Amino acid sequence: MKKIDRIIKHHGYRKERIIQILNDIQSIYNYLPKDVLEYAGQRLGMPLSGIYSIATFYSAFSLKPRGEHLVTVCMGTACHVRGAPSVLSRLEDRLRIETGGTTEDNQFTLKTVNCLGACALAPIVVVDDEYHGQTTVNKVDRLLKEYEKKKKD
Amino acid sequence: MMRITINGKKCTARYGETVLQVAQRSGIRIPTLCHHKDLSPYGGCRLCIVDMKGKQTPLTACTLTAEDGMVIKTDTPRLRKLRRSTLQLILSEHPSACLICEREKDCDNFQECIKKSAVTFGCKSCPQNNKCELQDLVRDMDIKDLHFEFRYRNLETQRDDPFFDRDYNLCVLCGRCIRACHEIRHAHTLEFHHRGPKTLVGTAFDLPHLESGCQFCGACVDICPTGALRDRFSRYDGPPERTVKTTCMLCSIGCAVDLNVSNGKITCSTPHKDQICARGRFAIAPIVNHPRRITKPLMKKRDGVIEVEWDEALECVSQKLREHRNRTGFLFSPQLTVEAAENIYALGGSLSAKLAMPFLSNVPPRPLALSEIKGKAAMIIVNTDMVGDYSVLLLTLRRKMKDRATFIVIDAFARPSDRFADTVLKPNPGTEQKIVDVLCGPGRFPKESGISAAEIELAQRLVKGKKVYVLYDPSNSVIEKSSKSCKTFPLFSQPNALRISRMGFHCTHEEMLTSKNIDCLYLVGVAPKLERKYGTVIVQDCFLPDFDFDVFLPAATFAETDGQMVDIEDRTKRVRRAIEPIGRAMPDDMIVEAIARAMDLRLTKKSGKRKIVTKRATLRKTNRAYPLRLIVRENAYTYRGKTLSAILRGFDRLRHDRSAWINENTAKKFGLRDGARATIIGRRTSFIMPVKISSYLPQSTVLVFDHPSARRLKNEPVRLECTKS
């Protein structure tokens, strides 16, 4: 909780900076734990319902624990046309999770977005801020292997 | 004053008024859905759009501030078209099959196709049928077909919480409930979740309302334009045939309530213009219509308790009273009308019988002078559950001081709901006065209170330079004025306290029940624990007592009675009869009059001599044999001597006031689990209660709400024992 205090202090105990505060909290825990939000609400004098409302409004925030790697598949128009649905279903099959879920070993979380603005690279898959353009079903397997290997190293 | 033109009509607007307000004042109708006169403008539903000269796009009237020279049109073909398509979009998410059914007119009479249209999608089976604002809008705009594909949210109705159901399939996301929860009640329980098509209203983490700090005031239910939020008790009663304005007598605040009456039955109680609390909203109708209510006179005869006629019961009562005369003791509830109390006094006076003080406090009641509270003020609230027991008073105070008041709560049992306060001090029980002293004037730092110097300093800073008002419930602890700059106000949760204390009394409850000079007890709306056998016990009440009686006279509730009540500010308020008494019940004052008639007595006014003298409770120290302190708190959730949780569903889960509250460590020490039954043993008596474990309780204390056995052990050291069932 000391860390949380430091974050809130850094933002000057200002309620209007709640989004930045939540962002900083998420960078520590990789998600927003309930008890931490309760504590932050108390310190900021903000009702928990208000914090929950913001945390659910922005898809960047997660209230469930997330895996080490965040796999984001773009489902925008261009990506959709160029085969994003099959990429997504391949990822779902390989990781044995549904969209929005996290693998049992806490390695991968699968998510979709509606457009990343990089339509020239369609279909696009983002893993931990690394962009992988023109993905195909075959590339998905290689991609996952790469990250699994990283873990072993 | 500003002049604006709406639809060619010249209107005057006050500074700061919106166009919608001006139009409504001038009798021009603009359709609205998310707007409510008590709430801030929201501009969410887009139905109040108007055209303004000089602006291309239509603007929402509810958020448009009136300016001099504005020319507004509210009803052009373009606006009508836009409104219709907006409403079409709203209807695409709201079950509406019946709204547009061509056979709707015959439906009320013949219900010819109730089985053809899926029940869930039909307005006729919605609890809000004919009360629904969306239904009115559809009728006004004459919508006959739906343009968009219907999207059913397919959510389960949430029925886990007491008093009301929530079916968010019917929600139109107008946000009224959220604004009512925030702006009017300051409860901050509800909020929008998620976004876009997934947006829903709910509590934080979708917790049940019971765990999310909801006060169950019902403000959200009353403000909902659709049937998404519905009162469980009255959901299928339809719109009321008539409403009767009366005064709620469940506590001393005496809120104005509208009793809704349909088919000669009270269906529910809604606030009259202002606010009410869970008791006024959800307790009145269930009490009046309670299945266990006794509405026929009963008498104990050789072959048990049997129903009798009023004449026989009155004859028996008058005979018994004539027999016992001055050896009769009258115990009565302060929740009777003033007329009933006066008649009881008069009957007692004519018989020279004894009258006991009907409330427990040992402080003379004083009116709460709200007019004295003004300016920059700091309110110190001592050992009083302001949100639970006096929520409407708290709202009045906040409104009076325009939310600028500082609130300090001093209570060892401060609850999570006390977070409305600027600071909460949790001292050791018994040291509250010392903390008030140190905050209000010269006082020594109270080390024994267990509060750190930093906390006291913070509170002192909050109080500095302000007028200090101390509010306390005298049944819990007595606080005296400590300096000139502070004023104290005792809060009495029972109605009529001021009036009855002026009438005087002969003895206290305890003295009456232990007195040897009493052979006959006449109990009006009280259910004490009887310590011994009496020659005669006469009970005049709505529910059966749990002890033996000779005669039971069925009394009417305050909803079936005409009379007066005196509230906490010493104002007299009218109590009106909404329906004829159920069954053969009679109002209390009339029963007493009938007894006097049967006895050929002329009711003379005579009052008791004794007045209330302030007594300060002393705390006996805990020891090894009795390591815990029993704190007994006034229970403001009672009606005629019965706790609401004992007679009504829901209140038990909201209040847990029939349990003994202990801390986790105490529970561990005595090997008790939540809900386990425990015997609470004191020096003089013991009683059994289930325990409720709570984290906010201090160590080594047991908290119980007032009940007959606990009263004898108030503030005494006790120990707990696990009771095997």
Side-chain angles (χ1 to χ4, degrees):
Chain A
M1 291 301 159
K2 263 189 189 161
K3 281 185 202 159
I4 310 300
D5 277 336
R6 214 177 300 140
I7 291 171
I8 293 171
K9 199 177 171 189
H10 176 74
H11 290 284
Y13 294 93
R14 278 159 64 190
K15 283 181 211 174
E16 58 272 22
R17 302 202 62 168
I18 183 71
I19 296 175
Q20 285 86 341
I21 293 170
L22 291 183
N23 218 350
D24 290 351
I25 293 173
Q26 182 152 294
S27 64
I28 299 176
Y29 297 94
N30 216 7
Y31 78 108
L32 297 173
K34 189 182 162 200
D35 50 338
V36 172
L37 294 189
E38 268 169 21
Y39 180 77
Q42 272 172 18
R43 297 305 308 244
L44 288 166
M46 214 180 152
L48 188 62
S49 60
I51 296 180
Y52 182 72
S53 173
I54 290 163
T56 52
F57 185 89
Y58 295 100
S59 59
F61 294 129
S62 169
L63 291 161
K64 276 183 275 176
R66 287 206 289 210
E68 213 144 281
H69 305 293
L70 179 64
V71 184
T72 315
V73 184
C74 180
M75 299 297 279
T77 316
C79 295
H80 192 97
V81 169
R82 301 204 56 184
S86 54
V87 171
L88 182 67
S89 67
R90 182 68 178 179
L91 276 164
E92 283 181 347
D93 285 353
R94 282 293 314 273
L95 296 172
R96 293 201 193 95
I97 49 172
E98 275 180 30
T99 310
T102 302
T103 50
E104 256 176 40
D105 57 357
N106 255 339
Q107 281 303 304
F108 295 97
T109 295
L110 185 61
K111 220 176 85 174
T112 59
V113 291
N114 288 333
C115 187
L116 289 165
C119 306
L121 298 173
I124 187 161
V125 173
V126 186
V127 187
D128 302 340
D129 297 337
E130 275 178 49
Y131 284 63
H132 302 273
Q134 278 143 7
T135 333
T136 56
V137 172
N138 291 340
K139 272 191 186 171
V140 163
D141 297 351
R142 251 181 284 156
L143 199 67
L144 287 180
K145 256 180 210 155
E146 216 175 282
Y147 281 94
E148 272 161 13
K149 218 164 119 192
K150 264 189 196 168
K151 177 191 147 200
K152 274 169 201 163
D153 297 340
Chain B
M1 280 292 182
M2 293 171 291
R3 288 181 186 286
I4 67 169
T5 316
I6 306 177
N7 294 353
K9 191 179 171 186
K10 295 220 162 65
C11 309
T12 50
R14 294 185 203 116
Y15 181 75
E17 257 186 328
T18 62
V19 171
L20 181 66
Q21 281 167 327
V22 179
Q24 282 174 339
R25 209 155 38 77
S26 320
I28 298 163
R29 199 176 167 274
I30 301 176
T32 55
L33 185 63
C34 71
H35 171 79
H36 192 276
K37 62 178 174 37
D38 298 333
L39 303 173
S40 63
Y42 182 57
C45 69
R46 320 305 289 180
L47 288 174
C48 66
I49 43 171
V50 290
D51 268 334
M52 185 179 137
K53 199 177 175 186
K55 283 266 185 306
Q56 290 246 310
T57 47
L59 300 159
T60 45
C62 67
T63 55
L64 184 63
T65 322
E67 277 168 36
D68 207 20
M70 266 185 176
V71 180
I72 302 286
K73 276 189 179 154
T74 68
D75 203 21
T76 62
R78 177 174 83 138
L79 288 175
R80 248 174 283 157
K81 201 179 158 199
L82 274 170
R83 269 187 208 133
R84 280 176 70 94
S85 40
T86 309
L87 192 58
Q88 288 279 3
L89 282 166
I90 293 172
L91 287 177
S92 73
E93 280 199 319
H94 182 92
S96 49
C98 280
L99 281 177
I100 48 143
C101 177
E102 54 188 11
R103 289 151 93 180
E104 196 208 336
K105 277 202 182 112
D106 290 333
C107 194
D108 278 334
N109 295 330
F110 309 115
Q111 297 193 341
E112 52 187 2
C113 69
I114 191 88
K115 284 185 185 112
K116 289 183 199 160
S117 174
V119 174
T120 7
F121 298 117
C123 271
K124 298 289 163 195
S125 56
C126 171
Q128 203 74 352
N129 184 23
N130 296 331
K131 293 192 266 184
C132 175
E133 288 178 36
L134 198 59
Q135 210 172 18
D136 294 344
L137 283 170
V138 170
R139 279 178 196 159
D140 279 3
M141 292 193 202
D142 201 28
I143 287 182
K144 290 280 179 224
D145 51 349
L146 297 178
H147 293 174
F148 303 103
E149 197 186 332
F150 175 56
R151 182 179 158 270
Y152 189 60
R153 294 199 189 107
N154 209 0
L155 300 164
E156 224 173 280
T157 308
Q158 298 182 25
R159 299 177 203 273
D160 296 339
D161 287 308
F163 312 130
F164 54 85
D165 293 339
R166 292 172 289 141
D167 181 357
Y168 286 123
N169 293 313
L170 301 176
C171 177
V172 289
L173 302 172
C174 66
R176 277 202 208 171
C177 51
I178 296 173
R179 280 174 289 153
C181 194
H182 288 240
E183 294 167 16
I184 300 178
R185 302 297 305 206
H186 306 279
H188 306 290
T189 306
L190 294 173
E191 192 54 90
F192 281 123
H193 295 166
H194 299 90
R195 67 178 157 162
K198 284 185 193 158
T199 313
L200 277 182
V201 177
T203 56
F205 292 92
D206 281 322
L207 289 171
H209 273 49
L210 278 172
E211 290 167 34
S212 62
C214 177
Q215 305 168 4
F216 290 91
C217 62
C220 53
V221 180
D222 291 327
I223 220 157
C224 181
T226 69
L229 303 174
R230 49 182 84 159
D231 174 358
R232 198 173 295 151
F233 186 79
S234 67
R235 61 190 148 173
Y236 296 120
D237 288 322
E241 283 167 9
R242 60 192 167 97
T243 59
V244 180
K245 187 199 161 198
T246 186
T247 309
C248 171
M249 286 196 61
L250 293 171
C251 84
S252 58
I253 297 168
C255 304
V257 292
D258 280 332
L259 296 177
N260 296 7
V261 183
S262 279
N263 297 325
K265 177 190 158 195
I266 292 176
T267 53
C268 71
S269 47
T270 46
H272 181 84
K273 289 185 182 157
D274 209 358
Q275 293 295 307
I276 49 176
C277 69
R279 287 164 287 183
R281 181 67 182 82
F282 297 112
I284 298 176
I287 288 176
V288 176
N289 301 305
H290 202 282
R292 284 208 309 273
R293 219 185 118 182
I294 308 291
T295 54
K296 285 162 195 152
L298 303 176
M299 259 172 77
K300 195 167 98 178
K301 292 196 174 171
R302 231 172 298 152
D303 39 355
V305 175
I306 54 163
E307 275 173 28
V308 291
E309 290 298 320
W310 265 108
D311 292 341
E312 195 184 346
L314 289 175
E315 186 54 42
C316 173
V317 170
S318 57
Q319 192 196 326
K320 297 273 184 198
L321 288 180
R322 231 178 261 138
E323 218 172 273
H324 296 289
R325 287 202 86 88
N326 61 352
R327 293 180 73 80
T328 311
F330 282 86
L331 279 175
F332 66 100
S333 157
Q335 279 171 328
L336 311 176
T337 56
V338 171
E339 287 78 1
E342 277 175 351
N343 280 355
I344 291 167
Y345 267 89
L347 180 65
S350 321
L351 294 166
S352 322
K354 283 244 155 62
L355 283 155
M357 176 174 74
F359 31 82
L360 291 165
S361 128
N362 45 18
V363 167
R366 247 181 308 141
L368 171 68
L370 279 180
S371 56
E372 282 179 32
I373 300 176
K374 56 189 162 196
K376 249 187 165 183
M379 319 289 299
I380 300 181
I381 292 152
V382 187
N383 289 0
T384 305
D385 181 5
M386 216 50 191
V387 172
D389 296 353
Y390 299 96
S391 64
V392 178
L393 181 65
L394 181 64
L395 295 178
T396 314
L397 286 172
R398 282 186 134 169
R399 216 177 300 151
K400 209 170 147 46
M401 292 184 281
K402 300 191 178 72
D403 288 321
R404 280 177 312 179
T406 311
F407 286 95
I408 296 170
V409 167
I410 301 177
D411 189 353
F413 301 96
R415 294 151 179 257
S417 61
D418 283 319
R419 63 170 179 229
F420 73 88
D422 296 275
T423 186
V424 178
L425 302 175
K426 292 181 131 201
N428 294 328
T431 59
E432 294 89 356
Q433 175 78 53
K434 284 174 187 149
I435 293 178
V436 174
D437 288 347
V438 83
L439 292 184
C440 295
R444 178 181 66 75
F445 172 67
K447 217 174 178 181
E448 64 277 26
S449 66
I451 290 184
S452 71
E455 277 179 291
I456 297 250
E457 213 171 285
L458 173 72
Q460 273 173 328
R461 231 180 303 145
L462 287 170
V463 167
K464 209 173 174 186
K466 288 174 190 157
K467 275 189 196 149
V468 182
Y469 300 94
V470 183
L471 303 179
Y472 64 97
D473 193 328
S475 347
N476 299 335
S477 59
V478 180
I479 301 295
E480 281 154 18
K481 198 171 158 172
S482 55
S483 75
K484 266 190 186 166
S485 66
C486 91
K487 278 193 172 125
T488 56
F489 291 110
L491 299 177
F492 286 82
S493 65
Q494 298 292 348
N496 297 329
L498 291 151
R499 186 61 172 266
I500 291 166
S501 74
R502 276 199 289 270
M503 292 199 253
F505 56 93
H506 300 106
C507 56
T508 65
H509 245 246
E510 250 94 276
E511 282 165 3
M512 168 87 75
L513 291 171
T514 46
S515 163
K516 285 186 182 121
N517 299 325
I518 304 287
D519 287 336
C520 170
L521 267 189
Y522 194 126
L523 308 168
V524 188
V526 281
K529 193 181 179 194
L530 300 187
E531 304 283 336
R532 64 181 177 90
K533 290 249 175 216
Y534 289 89
T536 310
V537 178
I538 303 161
V539 178
Q540 178 175 323
D541 216 335
C542 304
F543 297 94
L544 278 185
D546 45 14
F547 45 78
D548 281 346
F549 57 84
D550 296 278
V551 188
F552 182 93
L553 307 172
T557 61
F558 65 86
E560 303 147 82
T561 308
D562 273 318
Q564 294 177 335
M565 72 87 81
V566 175
D567 76 350
I568 196 165
E569 294 172 66
D570 204 12
R571 290 180 303 188
T572 306
K573 292 177 172 171
R574 274 287 302 277
V575 177
R576 285 185 188 83
R577 164 190 296 214
I579 53 166
E580 289 300 308
I582 291 175
R584 283 189 280 151
M586 279 216 294
D588 293 289
D589 47 339
M590 293 194 186
I591 297 178
V592 179
E593 265 170 34
I595 292 168
R597 248 195 323 264
M599 293 176 76
D600 281 331
L601 274 178
R602 274 195 56 212
L603 292 178
T604 48
K605 276 191 186 165
K606 230 184 207 179
S607 50
K609 285 187 194 101
R610 233 165 91 181
K611 297 283 175 222
I612 303 167
V613 197
T614 309
K615 265 187 257 163
R616 265 177 115 168
T618 44
L619 296 183
R620 194 176 283 170
K621 277 196 174 147
T622 51
N623 53 30
R624 202 179 283 170
Y626 300 100
L628 306 168
R629 181 177 310 289
L630 183 77
I631 303 289
V632 181
R633 281 290 163 91
E634 168 86 354
N635 193 351
Y637 282 62
T638 57
Y639 182 59
R640 299 182 72 118
K642 289 246 190 295
T643 59
L644 295 184
S645 42
I647 47 177
L648 302 180
R649 257 193 217 169
F651 278 97
D652 200 20
R653 285 166 64 212
L654 173 62
R655 301 274 302 163
H656 291 286
D657 52 5
R658 290 193 293 162
S659 305
W661 293 58
I662 51 171
N663 173 297
E664 292 120 341
N665 292 350
T666 317
K668 215 177 272 172
K669 201 167 144 195
F670 290 90
L672 291 162
R673 268 182 305 162
D674 198 53
R677 292 177 74 76
T679 319
I680 297 151
I681 305 164
R683 281 202 185 86
R684 290 195 286 165
T685 180
S686 68
F687 55 95
I688 298 174
M689 258 193 179
V691 295
K692 162 98 184 135
I693 298 172
S694 167
S695 57
Y696 62 77
L697 242 64
Q699 296 268 11
S700 317
T701 47
V702 183
L703 173 76
V704 297
F705 287 92
D706 183 33
H707 85 96
S709 323
R711 217 171 274 175
R712 297 194 63 198
L713 290 177
K714 191 169 177 176
N715 292 330
E716 297 229 339
V718 291
R719 68 165 187 269
L720 290 176
E721 250 169 44
C722 188
T723 314
K724 288 199 179 90
S725 51

